[in-house]
Amino acid sequence: MPNLNKLRTAISGGRGGDPATDASLSRLARLRISLTVFFALDGFLFAGWVVRIPAIKQQTGASASDLGLALLGVSAGAVVTMMFTGRMCKRFGSHPVTVVSMPLLALSIALPAQTHSALTLGLVLLVFGAAYGSLNVSMNSAAVDFVAVLRRPVMSSFHAAFSLGGMAGAGLGGLVAGSLSVSTHLLALTGVGLLVTALAGPSLLRHTVPTAAGPAAPSKGTPAPRRLDRRTRRLVVLFGVIALCTAYGEGALADWGALHLAQDLDAGAGLAAAGYSLFALAMTVGRLSGTALLERLGQTRTLVAGGVLASLGMLLGALAPTTWLALAGFAVTGLGLANIFPVAVARAGALAGPSGVAAASTLGYGGMLLGPPAIGFLADWFSLPVALTTVALLAAAAALIAYSARNLSAPEPALPTDVTADQARAVVPADAPAVPRH
């Protein structure tokens, strides 16, 4: 009996004792691993497609402008399906929608290699974008639910997984580009996507988020529909605008950063190409440290500090007189932007569930869609360095909006009845690696 009593009292220390509690903790840990794998795979597949765009352009015989219009299909398809996916997540659950969306993305990634004109490329990219948008809303909705139960700000670690998967996909794609045809490479990515989904999907379906305790907790298996009031909708839009401001910067740097280094600062081709890689690496580092940063500073301070840092970094990157100072600016910008989008999406999801995630993601994609052409028009009217300063202006705007919303937050969810706050923090230590990475 003394031993039994010790087991019962051990729960308060988070070291086990109650089989039900141990099972709940194990379920949370396995769920985090499964979600991390899906985020990493998403980034891996998307980056693998991106590095083959030049070969696709040559295959289709598209001009630069025709290719640009065809590539809009990705964003258009994603934006169209995002709000629809939010409703699907409410009806069927975010985990099943995620597991269905990933194979659709994997299958659609092979389609561009079968096209031979800009028109057909644009049409298949609509399908690819639709699958990509659906997957990102459902994954982020699942991550928001997980964060609510764990009560630790680990959203950035999932996005770090996406960034790492993207770096791996781009690196591997660059290595095989000279030896594999586009069709073979993209078909291989399809196989990887289907295989990983088959391995990780059942775990994601099996390990659902434990039911939270509290007066408003829904009955088991029953969704808790609620009509959003006007104030909540405004807050969701506000956090969506923050996501837009930061996604604008990501899109602008992806498409124009290397050109700025080469054209305005006379950097060599290799050094110019390293500009975006440095930005992406800094963003990944920032996201890996995001949980610790959020626990130390809180969401509002993290958003404000990130926006200010990104704004200062982009001013340096756009206006610096030397390549090395510009590269330093790109790195600082990546660190600043790293956690803003994940936190904004998480706040929107905490306020409105999958619909909030969908709304914030849609606005974010709007920013990524708006950034590159806006920079192009401004570069024609003024100059590319001046055009890139708009990234700094929008990052500062994101910081200002976040500060203005500092006293507006979502209600804090309760933990599952069989898991204490200390035990939830023990599922993954603060300094543990977030993922097997994307």
Side-chain angles (χ1 to χ4, degrees):
M1 291 300 293
N3 289 334
L4 180 60
N5 289 334
K6 287 180 182 179
L7 288 174
R8 287 173 175 169
T9 57
I11 297 176
S12 61
R15 297 182 180 276
D18 186 344
T21 301
D22 291 341
S24 190
L25 290 172
S26 175
R27 188 161 67 250
L28 285 171
R30 291 178 182 178
L31 176 55
R32 183 174 186 179
I33 292 171
S34 299
L35 273 175
T36 293
V37 168
F38 272 85
F39 271 86
L41 180 60
D42 183 28
F44 180 81
L45 294 179
F46 189 79
W49 138 252
V50 166
V51 298
R52 300 314 297 259
I53 289 177
I56 295 289
K57 179 180 182 296
Q58 183 178 6
Q59 175 180 299
T60 58
S63 66
S65 58
D66 288 342
L67 178 64
L69 288 174
L71 291 174
L72 286 178
V74 178
S75 296
V79 169
V80 166
T81 57
M82 279 180 166
M83 297 306 296
F84 173 73
T85 304
R87 293 193 291 270
M88 295 293 289
C89 288
K90 280 186 173 181
R91 181 172 181 179
F92 299 107
S94 56
H95 292 193
V97 177
T98 298
V99 173
V100 170
S101 298
M102 181 61 84
L104 292 178
L105 177 68
L107 290 169
S108 65
I109 206 171
L111 297 178
Q114 311 307 317
T115 62
H116 297 281
S117 71
L119 176 60
T120 54
L121 176 62
L123 292 175
V124 301
L125 288 182
L126 281 171
V127 178
F128 176 76
Y132 185 72
S134 175
L135 176 64
N136 277 269
V137 168
S138 57
M139 281 195 316
N140 277 288
S141 296
V144 166
D145 292 341
F146 179 85
V147 170
V149 170
L150 191 64
R151 291 178 69 175
R152 291 194 64 212
V154 298
M155 190 70 168
S156 292
S157 71
F158 293 119
H159 285 259
F162 177 89
S163 297
L164 286 166
M167 292 172 66
L172 182 61
L175 288 175
V176 304
S179 56
L180 289 181
S181 67
V182 178
S183 180
T184 302
H185 181 198
L186 296 187
L187 280 173
L189 291 180
T190 295
V192 170
L194 295 176
L195 177 61
V196 174
T197 302
L199 295 175
S203 176
L204 189 62
L205 292 173
R206 186 167 57 249
H207 299 293
T208 57
V209 175
T211 304
S219 61
K220 201 168 190 177
T222 303
R226 57 186 175 116
R227 185 180 298 276
L228 300 180
D229 57 34
R230 184 174 299 176
R231 174 179 175 274
T232 300
R233 289 196 296 269
R234 287 176 178 172
L235 286 174
V236 168
V237 171
L238 182 146
F239 289 116
V241 171
I242 292 176
L244 181 152
C245 290
T246 58
Y248 176 97
E250 291 186 52
L253 277 171
D255 285 15
W256 294 100
L259 182 62
H260 168 58
L261 294 174
Q263 171 184 291
D264 300 312
L265 298 174
D266 296 321
L271 193 57
Y276 181 73
S277 298
L278 184 61
F279 167 79
L281 178 61
M283 180 172 281
T284 302
V285 171
R287 286 175 170 174
L288 287 173
S289 59
T291 298
L293 187 67
L294 285 161
E295 287 182 330
R296 179 176 293 273
L297 299 180
Q299 291 181 336
T300 298
R301 289 179 180 175
T302 299
L303 288 173
V304 172
V308 171
L309 189 63
S311 181
L312 295 175
M314 199 60 235
L315 285 175
L316 178 62
L319 304 177
T322 68
T323 301
W324 294 107
L325 281 176
L327 288 171
F330 284 8
V332 172
T333 303
L335 286 173
L337 294 180
N339 295 298
I340 300 179
F341 190 96
V343 171
V345 170
R347 292 284 292 272
L351 284 163
S355 295
V357 174
S361 299
T362 302
L363 284 168
Y365 266 83
M368 194 166 287
L369 181 64
L370 173 67
I375 295 292
F377 285 123
L378 290 171
D380 284 341
W381 293 338
F382 303 102
S383 68
L384 184 53
V386 171
L388 288 173
T389 61
T390 58
V391 175
L393 291 176
L394 287 181
L400 182 63
I401 294 170
Y403 182 75
S404 70
R406 62 191 179 280
N407 296 322
L408 305 174
S409 60
E412 189 174 14
L415 281 171
T417 54
D418 56 350
V419 180
T420 68
D422 288 340
Q423 289 168 333
R425 293 187 187 97
V427 170
V428 183
D431 56 350
V435 266
R437 306 226 151 132
H438 108 335

